[in-house]
Amino acid sequence: MAKLDVFQSMWAMEYRRPDGFELSLEEKIKKISDAGFIGVSFDIGYHTFDTIQEAMPLLAKYKLDLVYNAFVKSVPHYQEIIDFVASQPIQPRFIAIVGQIEPWNVDDVANVTKQWMATSEKVGIPSHVEIHRNCMTNDLLFTLQLMQAVPDLLMVADLSHALVNQEYYLPLHELAHQRMSEFLTKAEAFHGRVATREQVQVPFLFPQNKPWLDLFTSWWKEGFDNWISRHGKVSDDACVFLCELGPPVYAITDANGAELSDRWEEALVMKEIAEQLWNDAIASA
């Protein structure tokens, strides 16, 4: 039976509090494992290779799987990343590429994307492309054109970026629904965060943000439905949902620099929401 594996972001385990307190790497990984997450994500380009290497025995100790987000500048740069990833004792489910090339010409971006995909295929590591601001997929409409130009491209759906970039208002108009549905047909993995049309991450349990939570849960459910349709209900494949509630400045803070909500508790709630949505999708498939 197809299943959902919920991961937790290592970036999201940072506090960035005014007093400077942080957990150690092992404390973070143990906390993730104890909470029932299946794996973790590291951000290549933010986390160093040394940090990732240090984490490898800890991931094995606490029996956690791995995915990467990679901020990639060029084809040679991705080769360096692939060489490092392939050399490590734990191989990732996939790499989510955040392509740091200018989205000026879709044919040029498509050509580079195909080279990135070929680079990872040589070592048997799947590569997907994440929709993300300040990179080649900054704009949803350009991203849809890129998906048409690279038909076998699968996407990582961090829909908070798409919403903020498009500034969609509630209720969504018909074309907005259509464009997001087009994107979700190729969503292979999901990043969990709730945005509004102006803020990339909001405390989604606050009552004023419930309409936005409802929007995101509807998108995740639609994406799960599409994923199950592509892979098959009785497949042994697993869909990855990554809770990625970032620290400040993603997380909103008060005048003293303290966060307005408990992101760890939110991550646990988000895990439950995703799992319930998945169960609903399987039941209706």
Side-chain angles (χ1 to χ4, degrees):
M1 183 72 69
K3 64 176 181 174
L4 182 75
D5 286 343
V6 183
F7 283 48
Q8 167 67 359
S9 164
M10 292 300 298
W11 168 65
M13 296 301 292
E14 298 179 11
Y15 289 118
R16 299 191 191 174
R17 294 183 343 198
D19 63 7
F21 174 80
E22 297 287 352
L23 298 175
S24 70
L25 183 61
E26 181 164 8
E27 287 170 333
K28 292 174 184 177
I29 290 172
K30 182 178 186 301
K31 188 173 183 177
I32 291 169
S33 177
D34 289 347
F37 290 97
I38 299 299
V40 305
S41 74
F42 279 95
D43 297 305
I44 297 175
Y46 175 74
H47 296 112
T48 66
F49 285 169
D50 287 345
T51 297
I52 294 169
Q53 287 178 310
E54 182 184 353
M56 286 293 162
L58 298 173
L59 298 180
K61 176 180 177 179
Y62 292 101
K63 299 179 171 61
L64 290 172
D65 286 348
L66 176 65
V67 296
Y68 290 112
N69 305 323
F71 295 83
V72 185
K73 297 179 173 63
S74 65
V75 173
H77 182 218
Y78 199 45
Q79 184 66 62
E80 294 174 12
I81 291 170
I82 289 293
D83 289 345
F84 168 77
V85 169
S87 73
Q88 296 307 298
I90 298 175
Q91 294 298 284
R93 300 275 188 95
F94 60 83
I95 300 173
I97 295 173
V98 181
Q100 295 189 306
I101 59 177
E102 188 177 46
W104 186 262
N105 180 288
V106 69
D107 292 331
D108 292 343
V109 174
N111 181 53
V112 173
T113 300
K114 290 174 183 176
Q115 293 182 68
W116 286 336
M117 294 167 67
T119 298
S120 62
E121 285 171 5
K122 289 178 182 177
V123 294
I125 298 173
S127 288
H128 311 318
V129 166
E130 181 180 345
I131 190 165
H132 199 290
R133 292 171 301 154
N134 193 31
C135 74
M136 72 186 196
T137 53
N138 179 73
D139 179 71
L140 175 62
L141 305 183
F142 183 92
T143 300
L144 293 174
Q145 295 175 61
L146 174 63
M147 291 164 61
Q148 289 181 346
V150 189
D152 55 345
L153 177 63
L154 295 173
M155 305 301 297
V156 174
D158 191 335
L159 303 177
S160 59
H161 291 286
L163 176 62
V164 172
N165 178 266
Q166 299 302 127
E167 288 195 86
Y168 287 148
Y169 52 81
L170 294 175
L172 257 63
H173 53 82
E174 182 178 349
L175 187 56
H177 278 296
Q178 177 184 331
R179 294 307 187 202
M180 190 58 73
S181 291
E182 290 174 19
F183 176 81
L184 289 171
T185 62
K186 293 294 188 70
E188 184 67 6
F190 300 82
H191 286 183
R193 184 185 301 116
V194 173
T196 70
R197 68 191 301 262
E198 304 292 356
Q199 296 167 310
V200 75
Q201 179 175 300
V202 294
F204 64 84
L205 298 179
F206 287 9
Q208 66 269 31
N209 294 323
K210 186 177 185 304
W212 299 102
L213 173 61
D214 291 344
L215 176 64
F216 275 80
T217 55
S218 72
W219 283 339
W220 295 334
K221 173 60 163 58
E222 181 178 354
F224 292 168
D225 288 339
N226 289 331
W227 193 99
I228 293 167
S229 178
R230 285 199 315 275
H231 287 260
K233 181 177 180 177
V234 297
S235 167
D236 293 330
D237 297 340
C239 177
V240 171
F241 183 99
L242 171 67
C243 295
E244 198 182 34
L245 302 176
V249 294
Y250 265 63
I252 301 172
T253 56
D254 65 16
N256 298 314
E259 292 187 43
L260 301 183
S261 61
D262 186 327
R263 280 184 294 114
W264 175 252
E265 291 301 321
E266 288 176 326
L268 298 180
V269 172
M270 181 172 284
K271 178 176 180 291
E272 293 179 358
I273 290 172
E275 290 168 342
Q276 184 58 57
L277 291 170
W278 181 264
N279 290 338
D280 293 344
I282 287 289
S284 62

